[in-house]
């Protein structure tokens, strides 16, 4: 299984995948554009001829995406599409459609898939999670509801850490 040891510096487009143990067959036709970070260990490494970088299993996909940005800050692709190892329970789009939409992104713009209220910040006093594709799976899990909304958490953090 290949491990990423060199990196092209003139990339126009790149797909960064946060992988654990998901089947990555859906990446096959886009493998040339992919940078896969696998947190599932050697036995869970992608079986496709995709270059991957093993990472410790910490921090979920946010850690993976931040790791990529920090590690390649000086040679990031012009457009980077960040995805989880399984997209069909998060996004109702094919990777081909996501790539086409990403390629229309202009400098300074962030494109999300699909466009949702979460990205607007106006719902941060209570995000309508039941509208999200993965809500059915999440709602069947034993979870404890937080006592604060995201807005309250940010206000508390800013107050405690920035003195505002």
């Amino acid at each position: 299984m290949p491990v990423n040891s060199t990196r092209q510096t003139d990339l126009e487009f790149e797909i960064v995948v946060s992988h654990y143990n998901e089947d990555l067959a859906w990446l096959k036709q886009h493998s040339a554009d992919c940078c896969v970070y696998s947190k599932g260990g050697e036995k869970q490494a992608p079986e496709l001829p995709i270059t991957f970088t093993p990472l410790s299993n910490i921090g979920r996909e946010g850690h993976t995406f931040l790791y990529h940005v920090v590690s390649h800050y000086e040679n990031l692709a012009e457009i980077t599409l960040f995805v989880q190892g399984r997209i069909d329970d998060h996004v109702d789009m094919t990777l081909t459609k996501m790539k086409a939409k990403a390629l229309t992104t202009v400098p300074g713009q962030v494109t999300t898939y699909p466009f949702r209220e979460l990205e607007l910040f106006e719902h941060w006093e209570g995000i309508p999670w039941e509208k999200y594709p993965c809500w059915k799976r999440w709602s069947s899990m034993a979870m404890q509801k937080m006592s604060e909304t995201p807005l309250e958490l940010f206000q508390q953090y800013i107050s405690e850490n920035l003195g505002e």
Side-chain angles (χ1 to χ4, degrees):
M1 287 169 247
V3 174
N4 192 7
S5 59
T6 60
R7 180 168 167 81
Q8 189 175 343
T9 59
D10 59 351
L11 296 173
E12 176 186 332
F13 177 77
E14 181 174 37
I15 301 168
V16 174
V17 182
S18 178
H19 170 261
Y20 180 72
N21 65 356
E22 303 87 0
D23 177 4
L24 298 180
W26 57 274
L27 287 174
K28 190 172 187 174
Q29 73 181 76
H30 298 279
S31 61
D33 296 326
C34 290
C35 175
V36 176
Y37 293 95
S38 186
K39 293 185 172 188
E42 198 64 29
K43 67 180 182 178
Q44 299 295 343
E47 293 185 18
L48 294 174
I50 295 175
T51 301
F52 74 95
T53 301
L55 289 180
S56 298
N57 187 23
I58 58 170
R60 299 184 48 106
E61 71 275 6
H63 167 265
T64 305
F65 302 154
L66 183 59
Y67 176 88
H68 178 81
V69 170
V70 171
S71 297
H72 303 292
Y73 189 77
E74 296 298 325
N75 58 352
L76 290 168
E78 290 293 316
I79 298 173
T80 304
L81 176 60
F82 294 98
V83 297
Q84 293 179 332
R86 180 173 175 192
I87 61 170
D88 63 348
D89 65 343
H90 287 76
V91 179
D92 191 22
M93 292 177 81
T94 65
L95 187 57
T96 301
K97 288 182 182 178
M98 290 173 71
K99 179 179 178 179
K101 183 170 171 115
L103 290 173
T104 67
T105 302
V106 296
Q109 177 185 0
V110 174
T111 303
T112 58
Y113 304 92
F115 181 77
R116 299 179 292 211
E117 293 84 6
L118 179 61
E119 290 79 26
L120 293 177
F121 294 98
E122 64 190 40
H123 290 286
W124 278 49
E125 290 195 39
I127 299 169
W129 292 112
E130 64 278 357
K131 293 182 180 179
Y132 288 69
C134 44
W135 175 254
K136 186 175 182 180
R137 182 171 51 100
W138 289 350
S139 64
S140 66
M141 297 177 183
M143 292 188 281
Q144 180 179 354
K145 186 172 181 168
M146 293 182 57
S147 59
E148 298 92 359
T149 66
L151 176 64
E152 291 166 338
L153 286 172
F154 278 116
Q155 288 172 334
Q156 179 182 347
Y157 176 83
I158 290 169
S159 174
E160 290 174 2
N161 294 285
L162 301 177
E164 295 180 15

